[in-house]
Amino acid sequence: DGGITQSPKYLFRKEGQNVTLSCEQNLNHDAMYWYRQDPGQGLRLIYYSQIVNDFQKGDIAEGYSVSREKKESFPLTVTSAQKNPTAFYLCASSMAPGQGTDTQYFGPGTRLTVL
Amino acid sequence: GQNIDQPTEMTATEGAIVQINCTYQTSGFNGLFWYQQHAGEAPTFLSYNVLDGLEEKGRFSSFLSRSKGYSYLLLKELQMKDSASYLCAVMDSNYQLIWGAGTKLIIKP
């Protein structure tokens, strides 16, 4: 079955600790994305990558870091510099970035709570 | 700035029809997407419109007017499982998705 996996579904961390959220896809998609979802707000783009070993900052990249060493994997690290990290984090992938018909497909999400 | 507006919450009755509106102001336009998101779950793709008019897909239809910066999602024969949030997103001139805050749809028996 092709799809996008994120783990874990729930994550708890103490303030000041870095934490890494995993995202894996076996759809052979070129592009991958990380979004943050907060109540009452639209999805906000953190980082995206259109090709291996390359990634771009989104609208709210401060306090986050990513890597794209393999096509299938796009992990997100939430650093201690992120002022308000508690949120629902969604990873997505798409086949053809830069085209209007490019549809993004989402993983199940990770709910991060920083205590 | 770029902006997507949707109603925050709507209520409808099982078996009825509901229309969820979305208006947008973006830097360029390369298509409009509708997604469904059940609470605590991932958004799932429903529809894509890039030309004016109505696209029908089973019980769901989506309409676009580019000149008015307006779209709606029409859900017919509502079922309890349609209770979810519906997200409108526009692809701008840089092929980035700009997201609305979503409309929470509550279905009552």
Side-chain angles (χ1 to χ4, degrees):
Chain A
D1 256 349
I4 305 173
T5 57
Q6 292 184 242
S7 62
K9 191 164 178 67
Y10 299 95
L11 191 54
F12 296 88
R13 279 294 182 271
K14 292 183 179 177
E15 199 172 328
Q17 290 181 334
N18 292 356
V19 60
T20 298
L21 282 57
S22 77
C23 178
E24 305 276 331
Q25 56 100 0
N26 60 4
L27 299 168
N28 200 32
H29 285 174
D30 286 323
M32 297 186 75
Y33 311 81
W34 273 106
Y35 289 96
R36 172 184 171 135
Q37 188 173 36
D38 295 282
Q41 297 189 43
L43 300 183
R44 292 184 290 168
L45 184 64
I46 304 172
Y47 270 97
Y48 65 100
S49 168
Q50 295 187 338
I51 195 169
V52 175
N53 291 323
D54 187 47
F55 47 83
Q56 309 296 329
K57 292 182 179 180
D59 300 321
I60 55 164
E62 186 176 349
Y64 299 98
S65 65
V66 293
S67 63
R68 187 88 186 275
E69 296 176 3
K70 299 187 298 182
K71 188 174 185 178
E72 304 80 18
S73 179
F74 191 41
L76 173 75
T77 297
V78 184
T79 75
S80 55
Q82 167 49 234
K83 290 185 169 53
N84 187 18
T86 294
F88 188 46
Y89 290 88
L90 287 160
C91 178
S93 70
S94 69
M95 183 184 304
Q99 296 182 25
T101 54
D102 188 41
T103 300
Q104 294 184 17
Y105 296 92
F106 287 83
T110 293
R111 187 166 298 278
L112 173 65
T113 302
V114 176
L115 306 171
Chain B
Q2 307 202 89
N3 196 50
I4 311 278
D5 283 318
Q6 308 178 232
T8 302
E9 187 174 297
M10 299 181 70
T11 302
T13 304
E14 191 177 13
I17 299 173
V18 70
Q19 177 175 310
I20 302 173
N21 295 327
C22 171
T23 57
Y24 63 89
Q25 291 177 306
T26 56
S27 305
F29 179 85
N30 280 302
L32 186 144
F33 295 79
W34 284 97
Y35 282 78
Q36 181 190 60
Q37 185 179 25
H38 286 98
E41 298 183 9
T44 55
F45 170 71
L46 289 177
S47 68
Y48 170 73
N49 294 69
V50 67
L51 299 177
D52 289 352
L54 188 68
E55 294 277 345
E56 296 185 78
K57 201 185 280 188
R59 295 189 298 114
F60 292 7
S61 304
S62 55
F63 171 83
L64 175 67
S65 169
R66 288 172 298 172
S67 62
K68 295 182 179 177
Y70 167 70
S71 173
Y72 68 72
L73 181 69
L74 192 71
L75 290 73
K76 301 177 185 176
E77 301 169 11
L78 286 170
Q79 302 175 10
M80 297 304 291
K81 67 179 182 179
D82 297 330
S83 292
S85 289
Y86 292 86
L87 313 181
C88 173
V90 172
M91 187 169 282
D92 69 9
S93 57
N94 294 319
Y95 296 96
Q96 295 296 321
L97 279 179
I98 311 300
W99 294 84
T103 299
K104 182 178 181 180
L105 178 62
I106 299 168
I107 310 294
K108 295 187 173 179

mmCIF file of all heavy atoms in Angstrom, chain B residues 11-60:
data_model
loop_
_atom_site.group_PDB
_atom_site.id
_atom_site.type_symbol
_atom_site.label_atom_id
_atom_site.label_comp_id
_atom_site.label_asym_id
_atom_site.label_seq_id
_atom_site.Cartn_x
_atom_site.Cartn_y
_atom_site.Cartn_z
ATOM 1 N N THR B 11 -23.951 24.333 10.305
ATOM 2 C CA THR B 11 -24.744 23.204 10.783
ATOM 3 C C THR B 11 -25.764 22.834 9.717
ATOM 4 O O THR B 11 -26.360 23.726 9.097
ATOM 5 C CB THR B 11 -25.452 23.543 12.101
ATOM 6 O OG1 THR B 11 -24.464 23.921 13.070
ATOM 7 C CG2 THR B 11 -26.213 22.340 12.627
ATOM 8 N N ALA B 12 -25.945 21.542 9.486
ATOM 9 C CA ALA B 12 -26.921 21.077 8.507
ATOM 10 C C ALA B 12 -27.550 19.787 9.014
ATOM 11 O O ALA B 12 -27.049 19.160 9.960
ATOM 12 C CB ALA B 12 -26.261 20.866 7.152
ATOM 13 N N THR B 13 -28.622 19.396 8.352
ATOM 14 C CA THR B 13 -29.368 18.208 8.762
ATOM 15 C C THR B 13 -29.052 17.023 7.850
ATOM 16 O O THR B 13 -28.886 17.198 6.634
ATOM 17 C CB THR B 13 -30.874 18.498 8.728
ATOM 18 O OG1 THR B 13 -31.129 19.641 9.547
ATOM 19 C CG2 THR B 13 -31.679 17.317 9.238
ATOM 20 N N GLU B 14 -28.998 15.860 8.419
ATOM 21 C CA GLU B 14 -28.769 14.631 7.652
ATOM 22 C C GLU B 14 -29.766 14.543 6.497
ATOM 23 O O GLU B 14 -30.959 14.801 6.675
ATOM 24 C CB GLU B 14 -28.936 13.429 8.580
ATOM 25 C CG GLU B 14 -28.481 12.108 7.996
ATOM 26 C CD GLU B 14 -28.602 10.968 8.998
ATOM 27 O OE1 GLU B 14 -29.268 11.160 10.035
ATOM 28 O OE2 GLU B 14 -28.029 9.891 8.753
ATOM 29 N N GLY B 15 -29.253 14.220 5.317
ATOM 30 C CA GLY B 15 -30.106 14.110 4.137
ATOM 31 C C GLY B 15 -30.269 15.392 3.354
ATOM 32 O O GLY B 15 -30.735 15.372 2.208
ATOM 33 N N ALA B 16 -29.889 16.508 3.929
ATOM 34 C CA ALA B 16 -30.052 17.812 3.277
ATOM 35 C C ALA B 16 -28.858 18.134 2.385
ATOM 36 O O ALA B 16 -27.984 17.292 2.144
ATOM 37 C CB ALA B 16 -30.227 18.894 4.349
ATOM 38 N N ILE B 17 -28.856 19.386 1.884
ATOM 39 C CA ILE B 17 -27.779 19.900 1.044
ATOM 40 C C ILE B 17 -27.135 21.085 1.763
ATOM 41 O O ILE B 17 -27.832 21.879 2.399
ATOM 42 C CB ILE B 17 -28.322 20.381 -0.320
ATOM 43 C CG1 ILE B 17 -28.972 19.217 -1.086
ATOM 44 C CG2 ILE B 17 -27.205 20.996 -1.171
ATOM 45 C CD1 ILE B 17 -29.673 19.650 -2.364
ATOM 46 N N VAL B 18 -25.812 21.199 1.653
ATOM 47 C CA VAL B 18 -25.136 22.346 2.259
ATOM 48 C C VAL B 18 -24.099 22.889 1.280
ATOM 49 O O VAL B 18 -23.485 22.131 0.520
ATOM 50 C CB VAL B 18 -24.472 21.974 3.600
ATOM 51 C CG1 VAL B 18 -23.263 21.068 3.407
ATOM 52 C CG2 VAL B 18 -24.085 23.211 4.383
ATOM 53 N N GLN B 19 -23.945 24.209 1.284
ATOM 54 C CA GLN B 19 -22.970 24.878 0.423
ATOM 55 C C GLN B 19 -21.971 25.615 1.296
ATOM 56 O O GLN B 19 -22.347 26.459 2.108
ATOM 57 C CB GLN B 19 -23.684 25.875 -0.503
ATOM 58 C CG GLN B 19 -22.747 26.662 -1.390
ATOM 59 C CD GLN B 19 -23.499 27.552 -2.362
ATOM 60 O OE1 GLN B 19 -24.422 27.128 -3.063
ATOM 61 N NE2 GLN B 19 -23.100 28.808 -2.431
ATOM 62 N N ILE B 20 -20.698 25.297 1.137
ATOM 63 C CA ILE B 20 -19.629 25.947 1.899
ATOM 64 C C ILE B 20 -18.879 26.880 0.951
ATOM 65 O O ILE B 20 -18.318 26.444 -0.052
ATOM 66 C CB ILE B 20 -18.668 24.901 2.491
ATOM 67 C CG1 ILE B 20 -19.431 23.928 3.394
ATOM 68 C CG2 ILE B 20 -17.554 25.594 3.263
ATOM 69 C CD1 ILE B 20 -18.592 22.767 3.896
ATOM 70 N N ASN B 21 -18.871 28.150 1.297
ATOM 71 C CA ASN B 21 -18.269 29.166 0.428
ATOM 72 C C ASN B 21 -16.822 29.442 0.786
ATOM 73 O O ASN B 21 -16.396 29.284 1.939
ATOM 74 C CB ASN B 21 -19.051 30.465 0.510
ATOM 75 C CG ASN B 21 -20.459 30.324 -0.023
ATOM 76 O OD1 ASN B 21 -20.706 29.561 -0.954
ATOM 77 N ND2 ASN B 21 -21.398 31.042 0.573
ATOM 78 N N CYS B 22 -16.077 29.890 -0.217
ATOM 79 C CA CYS B 22 -14.669 30.255 -0.038
ATOM 80 C C CYS B 22 -14.376 31.436 -0.957
ATOM 81 O O CYS B 22 -14.645 31.358 -2.167
ATOM 82 C CB CYS B 22 -13.774 29.071 -0.385
ATOM 83 S SG CYS B 22 -11.999 29.439 -0.466
ATOM 84 N N THR B 23 -13.889 32.529 -0.394
ATOM 85 C CA THR B 23 -13.451 33.650 -1.219
ATOM 86 C C THR B 23 -11.951 33.837 -1.020
ATOM 87 O O THR B 23 -11.421 33.567 0.066
ATOM 88 C CB THR B 23 -14.184 34.946 -0.870
ATOM 89 O OG1 THR B 23 -13.983 35.237 0.521
ATOM 90 C CG2 THR B 23 -15.666 34.824 -1.144
ATOM 91 N N TYR B 24 -11.293 34.299 -2.067
ATOM 92 C CA TYR B 24 -9.834 34.377 -1.987
ATOM 93 C C TYR B 24 -9.297 35.625 -2.660
ATOM 94 O O TYR B 24 -9.893 36.168 -3.597
ATOM 95 C CB TYR B 24 -9.193 33.122 -2.596
ATOM 96 C CG TYR B 24 -9.465 32.920 -4.069
ATOM 97 C CD1 TYR B 24 -8.640 33.471 -5.038
ATOM 98 C CD2 TYR B 24 -10.570 32.175 -4.497
ATOM 99 C CE1 TYR B 24 -8.897 33.302 -6.392
ATOM 100 C CE2 TYR B 24 -10.833 31.992 -5.853
ATOM 101 C CZ TYR B 24 -9.996 32.555 -6.783
ATOM 102 O OH TYR B 24 -10.255 32.380 -8.123
ATOM 103 N N GLN B 25 -8.177 36.083 -2.125
ATOM 104 C CA GLN B 25 -7.374 37.132 -2.750
ATOM 105 C C GLN B 25 -5.936 36.654 -2.672
ATOM 106 O O GLN B 25 -5.375 36.567 -1.566
ATOM 107 C CB GLN B 25 -7.526 38.459 -1.999
ATOM 108 C CG GLN B 25 -8.883 39.109 -2.128
ATOM 109 C CD GLN B 25 -8.987 40.380 -1.301
ATOM 110 O OE1 GLN B 25 -8.722 40.369 -0.112
ATOM 111 N NE2 GLN B 25 -9.359 41.469 -1.938
ATOM 112 N N THR B 26 -5.371 36.317 -3.793
ATOM 113 C CA THR B 26 -4.010 35.740 -3.797
ATOM 114 C C THR B 26 -3.172 36.384 -4.888
ATOM 115 O O THR B 26 -3.693 37.012 -5.822
ATOM 116 C CB THR B 26 -4.048 34.225 -4.021
ATOM 117 O OG1 THR B 26 -4.749 33.939 -5.237
ATOM 118 C CG2 THR B 26 -4.728 33.506 -2.871
ATOM 119 N N SER B 27 -1.874 36.191 -4.759
ATOM 120 C CA SER B 27 -0.926 36.630 -5.783
ATOM 121 C C SER B 27 -0.908 35.580 -6.880
ATOM 122 O O SER B 27 -0.180 34.603 -6.808
ATOM 123 C CB SER B 27 0.468 36.793 -5.184
ATOM 124 O OG SER B 27 0.443 37.665 -4.090
ATOM 125 N N GLY B 28 -1.736 35.787 -7.869
ATOM 126 C CA GLY B 28 -1.830 34.804 -8.938
ATOM 127 C C GLY B 28 -2.752 33.663 -8.561
ATOM 128 O O GLY B 28 -3.170 33.507 -7.406
ATOM 129 N N PHE B 29 -3.058 32.855 -9.565
ATOM 130 C CA PHE B 29 -3.992 31.741 -9.331
ATOM 131 C C PHE B 29 -3.609 30.595 -10.251
ATOM 132 O O PHE B 29 -3.548 30.754 -11.479
ATOM 133 C CB PHE B 29 -5.418 32.208 -9.622
ATOM 134 C CG PHE B 29 -6.450 31.130 -9.437
ATOM 135 C CD1 PHE B 29 -6.977 30.869 -8.199
ATOM 136 C CD2 PHE B 29 -6.876 30.370 -10.523
ATOM 137 C CE1 PHE B 29 -7.930 29.870 -8.019
ATOM 138 C CE2 PHE B 29 -7.819 29.377 -10.365
ATOM 139 C CZ PHE B 29 -8.355 29.129 -9.106
ATOM 140 N N ASN B 30 -3.364 29.444 -9.637
ATOM 141 C CA ASN B 30 -3.067 28.240 -10.411
ATOM 142 C C ASN B 30 -3.953 27.076 -9.997
ATOM 143 O O ASN B 30 -3.578 25.918 -10.184
ATOM 144 C CB ASN B 30 -1.583 27.862 -10.268
ATOM 145 C CG ASN B 30 -0.685 28.688 -11.157
ATOM 146 O OD1 ASN B 30 -0.842 28.705 -12.379
ATOM 147 N ND2 ASN B 30 0.240 29.413 -10.554
ATOM 148 N N GLY B 31 -5.100 27.407 -9.422
ATOM 149 C CA GLY B 31 -6.041 26.352 -9.091
ATOM 150 C C GLY B 31 -6.498 26.438 -7.648
ATOM 151 O O GLY B 31 -5.845 27.052 -6.802
ATOM 152 N N LEU B 32 -7.664 25.843 -7.389
ATOM 153 C CA LEU B 32 -8.243 25.850 -6.046
ATOM 154 C C LEU B 32 -8.571 24.426 -5.646
ATOM 155 O O LEU B 32 -9.139 23.665 -6.436
ATOM 156 C CB LEU B 32 -9.495 26.736 -6.029
ATOM 157 C CG LEU B 32 -10.140 26.948 -4.655
ATOM 158 C CD1 LEU B 32 -10.700 28.376 -4.563
ATOM 159 C CD2 LEU B 32 -11.230 25.929 -4.382
ATOM 160 N N PHE B 33 -8.218 24.087 -4.423
ATOM 161 C CA PHE B 33 -8.394 22.741 -3.899
ATOM 162 C C PHE B 33 -9.370 22.761 -2.723
ATOM 163 O O PHE B 33 -9.403 23.712 -1.937
ATOM 164 C CB PHE B 33 -7.065 22.182 -3.388
ATOM 165 C CG PHE B 33 -6.018 21.967 -4.454
ATOM 166 C CD1 PHE B 33 -5.274 23.033 -4.945
ATOM 167 C CD2 PHE B 33 -5.762 20.706 -4.942
ATOM 168 C CE1 PHE B 33 -4.298 22.841 -5.922
ATOM 169 C CE2 PHE B 33 -4.787 20.500 -5.915
ATOM 170 C CZ PHE B 33 -4.063 21.572 -6.396
ATOM 171 N N TRP B 34 -10.137 21.691 -2.598
ATOM 172 C CA TRP B 34 -10.935 21.430 -1.405
ATOM 173 C C TRP B 34 -10.456 20.125 -0.787
ATOM 174 O O TRP B 34 -10.259 19.116 -1.480
ATOM 175 C CB TRP B 34 -12.426 21.323 -1.732
ATOM 176 C CG TRP B 34 -13.105 22.636 -1.994
ATOM 177 C CD1 TRP B 34 -13.363 23.212 -3.202
ATOM 178 C CD2 TRP B 34 -13.647 23.522 -0.999
ATOM 179 N NE1 TRP B 34 -14.022 24.411 -3.024
ATOM 180 C CE2 TRP B 34 -14.214 24.623 -1.686
ATOM 181 C CE3 TRP B 34 -13.719 23.500 0.395
ATOM 182 C CZ2 TRP B 34 -14.832 25.682 -1.029
ATOM 183 C CZ3 TRP B 34 -14.327 24.548 1.030
ATOM 184 C CH2 TRP B 34 -14.887 25.629 0.336
ATOM 185 N N TYR B 35 -10.300 20.169 0.548
ATOM 186 C CA TYR B 35 -9.922 18.993 1.311
ATOM 187 C C TYR B 35 -10.933 18.792 2.430
ATOM 188 O O TYR B 35 -11.515 19.754 2.941
ATOM 189 C CB TYR B 35 -8.536 19.170 1.959
ATOM 190 C CG TYR B 35 -7.357 18.989 1.033
ATOM 191 C CD1 TYR B 35 -6.981 19.997 0.147
ATOM 192 C CD2 TYR B 35 -6.608 17.821 1.056
ATOM 193 C CE1 TYR B 35 -5.889 19.840 -0.694
ATOM 194 C CE2 TYR B 35 -5.507 17.655 0.218
ATOM 195 C CZ TYR B 35 -5.157 18.668 -0.650
ATOM 196 O OH TYR B 35 -4.070 18.507 -1.480
ATOM 197 N N GLN B 36 -11.096 17.545 2.846
ATOM 198 C CA GLN B 36 -11.911 17.191 4.005
ATOM 199 C C GLN B 36 -10.961 16.747 5.127
ATOM 200 O O GLN B 36 -10.012 16.002 4.867
ATOM 201 C CB GLN B 36 -12.859 16.038 3.657
ATOM 202 C CG GLN B 36 -13.765 15.604 4.801
ATOM 203 C CD GLN B 36 -14.503 14.310 4.475
ATOM 204 O OE1 GLN B 36 -13.880 13.272 4.237
ATOM 205 N NE2 GLN B 36 -15.822 14.367 4.460
ATOM 206 N N GLN B 37 -11.243 17.206 6.341
ATOM 207 C CA GLN B 37 -10.410 16.795 7.466
ATOM 208 C C GLN B 37 -11.290 16.444 8.664
ATOM 209 O O GLN B 37 -11.927 17.311 9.257
ATOM 210 C CB GLN B 37 -9.418 17.899 7.852
ATOM 211 C CG GLN B 37 -8.438 17.475 8.941
ATOM 212 C CD GLN B 37 -7.451 18.560 9.309
ATOM 213 O OE1 GLN B 37 -7.706 19.747 9.144
ATOM 214 N NE2 GLN B 37 -6.278 18.150 9.810
ATOM 215 N N HIS B 38 -11.296 15.152 9.017
ATOM 216 C CA HIS B 38 -11.963 14.747 10.250
ATOM 217 C C HIS B 38 -11.063 15.091 11.420
ATOM 218 O O HIS B 38 -9.829 15.162 11.289
ATOM 219 C CB HIS B 38 -12.275 13.244 10.223
ATOM 220 C CG HIS B 38 -13.416 12.896 9.326
ATOM 221 N ND1 HIS B 38 -13.247 12.423 8.039
ATOM 222 C CD2 HIS B 38 -14.748 12.980 9.513
ATOM 223 C CE1 HIS B 38 -14.423 12.224 7.492
ATOM 224 N NE2 HIS B 38 -15.359 12.560 8.354
ATOM 225 N N ALA B 39 -11.676 15.317 12.565
ATOM 226 C CA ALA B 39 -10.959 15.782 13.754
ATOM 227 C C ALA B 39 -9.790 14.866 14.088
ATOM 228 O O ALA B 39 -9.944 13.651 14.199
ATOM 229 C CB ALA B 39 -11.916 15.869 14.939
ATOM 230 N N GLY B 40 -8.612 15.469 14.225
ATOM 231 C CA GLY B 40 -7.424 14.715 14.595
ATOM 232 C C GLY B 40 -6.804 13.896 13.489
ATOM 233 O O GLY B 40 -5.871 13.127 13.743
ATOM 234 N N GLU B 41 -7.318 14.032 12.275
ATOM 235 C CA GLU B 41 -6.815 13.234 11.165
ATOM 236 C C GLU B 41 -6.210 14.107 10.073
ATOM 237 O O GLU B 41 -6.208 15.324 10.161
ATOM 238 C CB GLU B 41 -7.940 12.375 10.595
ATOM 239 C CG GLU B 41 -8.503 11.385 11.598
ATOM 240 C CD GLU B 41 -9.561 10.484 10.998
ATOM 241 O OE1 GLU B 41 -9.751 10.494 9.766
ATOM 242 O OE2 GLU B 41 -10.206 9.753 11.769
ATOM 243 N N ALA B 42 -5.679 13.447 9.057
ATOM 244 C CA ALA B 42 -5.063 14.168 7.949
ATOM 245 C C ALA B 42 -6.124 14.728 7.006
ATOM 246 O O ALA B 42 -7.182 14.129 6.829
ATOM 247 C CB ALA B 42 -4.157 13.224 7.174
ATOM 248 N N PRO B 43 -5.854 15.842 6.368
ATOM 249 C CA PRO B 43 -6.735 16.310 5.287
ATOM 250 C C PRO B 43 -6.693 15.323 4.124
ATOM 251 O O PRO B 43 -5.622 14.778 3.796
ATOM 252 C CB PRO B 43 -6.117 17.648 4.869
ATOM 253 C CG PRO B 43 -5.257 18.068 6.012
ATOM 254 C CD PRO B 43 -4.767 16.795 6.625
ATOM 255 N N THR B 44 -7.849 15.081 3.509
ATOM 256 C CA THR B 44 -7.901 14.232 2.321
ATOM 257 C C THR B 44 -8.461 15.042 1.158
ATOM 258 O O THR B 44 -9.412 15.813 1.321
ATOM 259 C CB THR B 44 -8.756 12.975 2.547
ATOM 260 O OG1 THR B 44 -10.053 13.370 2.995
ATOM 261 C CG2 THR B 44 -8.143 12.069 3.584
ATOM 262 N N PHE B 45 -7.888 14.852 0.000
ATOM 263 C CA PHE B 45 -8.225 15.618 -1.190
ATOM 264 C C PHE B 45 -9.647 15.315 -1.658
ATOM 265 O O PHE B 45 -10.050 14.147 -1.743
ATOM 266 C CB PHE B 45 -7.222 15.269 -2.289
ATOM 267 C CG PHE B 45 -7.572 15.799 -3.641
ATOM 268 C CD1 PHE B 45 -7.486 17.150 -3.922
ATOM 269 C CD2 PHE B 45 -8.006 14.946 -4.645
ATOM 270 C CE1 PHE B 45 -7.810 17.638 -5.175
ATOM 271 C CE2 PHE B 45 -8.327 15.423 -5.900
ATOM 272 C CZ PHE B 45 -8.231 16.771 -6.165
ATOM 273 N N LEU B 46 -10.408 16.378 -1.951
ATOM 274 C CA LEU B 46 -11.755 16.206 -2.486
ATOM 275 C C LEU B 46 -11.847 16.630 -3.952
ATOM 276 O O LEU B 46 -12.396 15.911 -4.779
ATOM 277 C CB LEU B 46 -12.757 17.040 -1.679
ATOM 278 C CG LEU B 46 -13.093 16.598 -0.269
ATOM 279 C CD1 LEU B 46 -14.042 17.603 0.378
ATOM 280 C CD2 LEU B 46 -13.713 15.200 -0.276
ATOM 281 N N SER B 47 -11.358 17.858 -4.249
ATOM 282 C CA SER B 47 -11.571 18.365 -5.597
ATOM 283 C C SER B 47 -10.557 19.435 -5.951
ATOM 284 O O SER B 47 -9.923 20.035 -5.077
ATOM 285 C CB SER B 47 -12.980 18.946 -5.744
ATOM 286 O OG SER B 47 -13.098 20.116 -4.962
ATOM 287 N N TYR B 48 -10.441 19.653 -7.274
ATOM 288 C CA TYR B 48 -9.545 20.677 -7.819
ATOM 289 C C TYR B 48 -10.280 21.400 -8.935
ATOM 290 O O TYR B 48 -10.873 20.756 -9.811
ATOM 291 C CB TYR B 48 -8.280 20.020 -8.365
ATOM 292 C CG TYR B 48 -7.385 20.920 -9.169
ATOM 293 C CD1 TYR B 48 -6.614 21.893 -8.559
ATOM 294 C CD2 TYR B 48 -7.318 20.807 -10.566
ATOM 295 C CE1 TYR B 48 -5.776 22.721 -9.298
ATOM 296 C CE2 TYR B 48 -6.491 21.635 -11.312
ATOM 297 C CZ TYR B 48 -5.717 22.585 -10.671
ATOM 298 O OH TYR B 48 -4.897 23.405 -11.411
ATOM 299 N N ASN B 49 -10.263 22.732 -8.885
ATOM 300 C CA ASN B 49 -10.854 23.551 -9.957
ATOM 301 C C ASN B 49 -9.810 24.550 -10.441
ATOM 302 O O ASN B 49 -9.154 25.192 -9.613
ATOM 303 C CB ASN B 49 -12.064 24.350 -9.458
ATOM 304 C CG ASN B 49 -13.240 23.487 -9.057
ATOM 305 O OD1 ASN B 49 -13.171 22.778 -8.055
ATOM 306 N ND2 ASN B 49 -14.318 23.565 -9.811
ATOM 307 N N VAL B 50 -9.671 24.672 -11.748
ATOM 308 C CA VAL B 50 -8.802 25.712 -12.293
ATOM 309 C C VAL B 50 -9.551 26.551 -13.334
ATOM 310 O O VAL B 50 -9.195 27.697 -13.577
ATOM 311 C CB VAL B 50 -7.509 25.109 -12.884
ATOM 312 C CG1 VAL B 50 -7.811 24.264 -14.117
ATOM 313 C CG2 VAL B 50 -6.484 26.182 -13.172
ATOM 314 N N LEU B 51 -10.593 25.992 -13.933
ATOM 315 C CA LEU B 51 -11.435 26.736 -14.878
ATOM 316 C C LEU B 51 -12.770 27.042 -14.221
ATOM 317 O O LEU B 51 -13.218 26.319 -13.329
ATOM 318 C CB LEU B 51 -11.642 25.901 -16.146
ATOM 319 C CG LEU B 51 -10.367 25.547 -16.928
ATOM 320 C CD1 LEU B 51 -10.722 24.651 -18.111
ATOM 321 C CD2 LEU B 51 -9.635 26.794 -17.382
ATOM 322 N N ASP B 52 -13.413 28.102 -14.679
ATOM 323 C CA ASP B 52 -14.721 28.472 -14.156
ATOM 324 C C ASP B 52 -15.738 27.367 -14.409
ATOM 325 O O ASP B 52 -15.719 26.720 -15.460
ATOM 326 C CB ASP B 52 -15.213 29.761 -14.824
ATOM 327 C CG ASP B 52 -14.428 30.966 -14.378
ATOM 328 O OD1 ASP B 52 -13.609 30.847 -13.462
ATOM 329 O OD2 ASP B 52 -14.646 32.048 -14.968
ATOM 330 N N GLY B 53 -16.608 27.194 -13.439
ATOM 331 C CA GLY B 53 -17.678 26.228 -13.630
ATOM 332 C C GLY B 53 -17.753 25.227 -12.504
ATOM 333 O O GLY B 53 -17.089 25.356 -11.483
ATOM 334 N N LEU B 54 -18.606 24.247 -12.735
ATOM 335 C CA LEU B 54 -18.927 23.247 -11.722
ATOM 336 C C LEU B 54 -18.267 21.915 -12.063
ATOM 337 O O LEU B 54 -18.366 21.433 -13.180
ATOM 338 C CB LEU B 54 -20.450 23.081 -11.658
ATOM 339 C CG LEU B 54 -21.028 22.231 -10.536
ATOM 340 C CD1 LEU B 54 -20.815 22.910 -9.193
ATOM 341 C CD2 LEU B 54 -22.514 21.974 -10.783
ATOM 342 N N GLU B 55 -17.613 21.322 -11.047
ATOM 343 C CA GLU B 55 -17.063 19.969 -11.178
ATOM 344 C C GLU B 55 -17.844 19.075 -10.234
ATOM 345 O O GLU B 55 -17.924 19.368 -9.044
ATOM 346 C CB GLU B 55 -15.580 19.957 -10.771
ATOM 347 C CG GLU B 55 -14.664 20.753 -11.670
ATOM 348 C CD GLU B 55 -14.235 19.967 -12.887
ATOM 349 O OE1 GLU B 55 -14.418 18.730 -12.899
ATOM 350 O OE2 GLU B 55 -13.720 20.592 -13.835
ATOM 351 N N GLU B 56 -18.428 18.005 -10.773
ATOM 352 C CA GLU B 56 -19.239 17.124 -9.941
ATOM 353 C C GLU B 56 -18.537 15.802 -9.733
ATOM 354 O O GLU B 56 -17.981 15.226 -10.668
ATOM 355 C CB GLU B 56 -20.613 16.900 -10.593
ATOM 356 C CG GLU B 56 -21.414 18.184 -10.692
ATOM 357 C CD GLU B 56 -22.812 17.965 -11.215
ATOM 358 O OE1 GLU B 56 -23.666 17.517 -10.424
ATOM 359 O OE2 GLU B 56 -23.049 18.238 -12.397
ATOM 360 N N LYS B 57 -18.590 15.339 -8.476
ATOM 361 C CA LYS B 57 -17.939 14.078 -8.127
ATOM 362 C C LYS B 57 -18.805 13.382 -7.092
ATOM 363 O O LYS B 57 -18.645 13.580 -5.898
ATOM 364 C CB LYS B 57 -16.538 14.372 -7.586
ATOM 365 C CG LYS B 57 -15.580 13.219 -7.657
ATOM 366 C CD LYS B 57 -14.247 13.557 -6.986
ATOM 367 C CE LYS B 57 -13.334 14.373 -7.852
ATOM 368 N NZ LYS B 57 -11.993 14.528 -7.257
ATOM 369 N N GLY B 58 -19.763 12.609 -7.557
ATOM 370 C CA GLY B 58 -20.654 11.912 -6.646
ATOM 371 C C GLY B 58 -21.534 12.889 -5.888
ATOM 372 O O GLY B 58 -22.160 13.773 -6.472
ATOM 373 N N ARG B 59 -21.543 12.772 -4.558
ATOM 374 C CA ARG B 59 -22.386 13.666 -3.753
ATOM 375 C C ARG B 59 -21.768 15.044 -3.594
ATOM 376 O O ARG B 59 -22.423 15.966 -3.119
ATOM 377 C CB ARG B 59 -22.616 13.056 -2.364
ATOM 378 C CG ARG B 59 -23.405 11.783 -2.343
ATOM 379 C CD ARG B 59 -23.766 11.361 -0.910
ATOM 380 N NE ARG B 59 -22.589 11.089 -0.092
ATOM 381 C CZ ARG B 59 -22.229 11.827 0.968
ATOM 382 N NH1 ARG B 59 -22.929 12.874 1.325
ATOM 383 N NH2 ARG B 59 -21.157 11.471 1.673
ATOM 384 N N PHE B 60 -20.493 15.176 -3.972
ATOM 385 C CA PHE B 60 -19.787 16.444 -3.789
ATOM 386 C C PHE B 60 -19.592 17.142 -5.125
ATOM 387 O O PHE B 60 -19.250 16.510 -6.122
ATOM 388 C CB PHE B 60 -18.410 16.195 -3.145
ATOM 389 C CG PHE B 60 -18.447 15.701 -1.715
ATOM 390 C CD1 PHE B 60 -19.640 15.351 -1.103
ATOM 391 C CD2 PHE B 60 -17.279 15.595 -0.982
ATOM 392 C CE1 PHE B 60 -19.665 14.906 0.205
ATOM 393 C CE2 PHE B 60 -17.290 15.151 0.333
ATOM 394 C CZ PHE B 60 -18.475 14.802 0.926
#
